Amino acid sequence: MTARETVLGRVRDALALAPPPAAAVDRAYRRGRDLPDAERLALFTDRLVDYGAQVRTCTAAETATALADVLDGLGARRVGVPAGLDRSWLADWDGVVEEDGADVPPPDLATFDAVVTSSAVSCAETGTIFLDGSADQGRRALSLVPDVHVCVVDLSSLAVGVPEALARLVPERPTTLISGPSATSDIELERVEGVHGPRTLVVIVRTEV
């Protein structure tokens, strides 16, 4: 038995003899807030633009046109999509659409000009988009490896704050939080984009579904 196994075994034995009491969680934070659609959209857009994301609005009927305009504007000719994405969304675009799958090595995802996904929930107050791994959102690697992420958000899925957004999620699902393009600061506080994910985030908000 290694020293690591010995230490971990003693920890497990101690926890079994004296299990920790259940922690009381304070639920006094604000919950159940709501705002009119126009105010939620304005707040969400303000946050995303401040983070460096691009935002466009459209109706459900205009989704294909909006996506075609965005992808053409980005110069994309080959995009990756999750298996469950509504293909009619890309009906007006004449580029190559390839479906992602578990058999595609994550490094190969970097060869896409862009990736298009849907979303689960969004938070207006923080400008955060939540992906939960559903069929129209795909695996986490698909939204992190390509350099450009085009994400479709339905206004009906836009909550005011974090508590309201979390209440709409399924806790057991793998959740990815996106707040603008990937960015960090180096030791001299110089902003560097694309270190942990896409350098370009385009959000298409569908105001009518």
Side-chain angles (χ1 to χ4, degrees):
M1 180 177 292
T2 65
R4 178 177 182 274
E5 292 170 337
T6 299
V7 171
L8 292 177
R10 290 176 180 174
V11 171
R12 284 191 291 268
D13 291 342
L15 290 174
L17 292 172
V25 179
D26 183 7
R27 304 289 185 184
Y29 48 79
R30 293 179 297 172
R31 292 183 290 174
R33 291 173 295 163
D34 199 6
L35 287 172
D37 288 350
E39 292 184 30
R40 293 201 326 279
L41 177 58
L43 181 59
F44 186 52
T45 301
D46 177 75
R47 296 294 189 268
L48 285 171
V49 171
D50 187 53
Y51 297 151
Q54 303 172 37
V55 183
R56 173 168 177 162
T57 60
C58 70
T59 64
E62 299 167 336
T63 305
T65 300
L67 273 169
D69 288 347
V70 166
L71 292 173
D72 287 341
L74 292 168
R77 301 308 307 156
R78 177 172 169 265
V79 304
V81 299
L85 190 78
D86 187 342
R87 291 301 184 87
S88 69
W89 289 3
L90 293 163
D92 290 352
W93 187 62
D94 61 359
V96 177
V97 180
E98 295 188 19
E99 184 178 299
D100 181 41
D103 58 331
V104 179
D108 290 358
L109 300 175
T111 64
F112 289 132
D113 296 324
V115 58
V116 178
T117 75
S118 184
S119 57
V121 181
S122 296
C123 173
E125 197 169 56
T126 62
T128 303
I129 300 169
F130 297 76
L131 309 184
D132 67 1
S134 294
D136 59 355
Q137 297 154 54
R139 55 178 173 163
R140 180 168 291 155
L142 183 63
S143 63
L144 294 180
V145 177
D147 200 41
V148 178
H149 182 188
V150 181
C151 187
V152 179
V153 172
D154 286 333
L155 183 58
S156 60
S157 70
L158 179 58
V160 174
V162 173
E164 292 82 10
L166 292 178
R168 300 189 187 190
L169 293 170
V170 179
E172 293 78 16
R173 298 198 63 84
T175 304
T176 301
L177 280 64
I178 302 170
S179 294
S182 170
T184 188
S185 296
D186 62 18
I187 195 170
E188 296 179 349
L189 301 182
E190 292 291 334
R191 180 182 172 91
V192 180
E193 297 182 346
V195 178
H196 309 297
R199 282 183 292 184
T200 301
L201 173 66
V202 183
V203 181
I204 297 178
V205 183
R206 303 202 306 171
T207 58
E208 297 177 15
V209 179

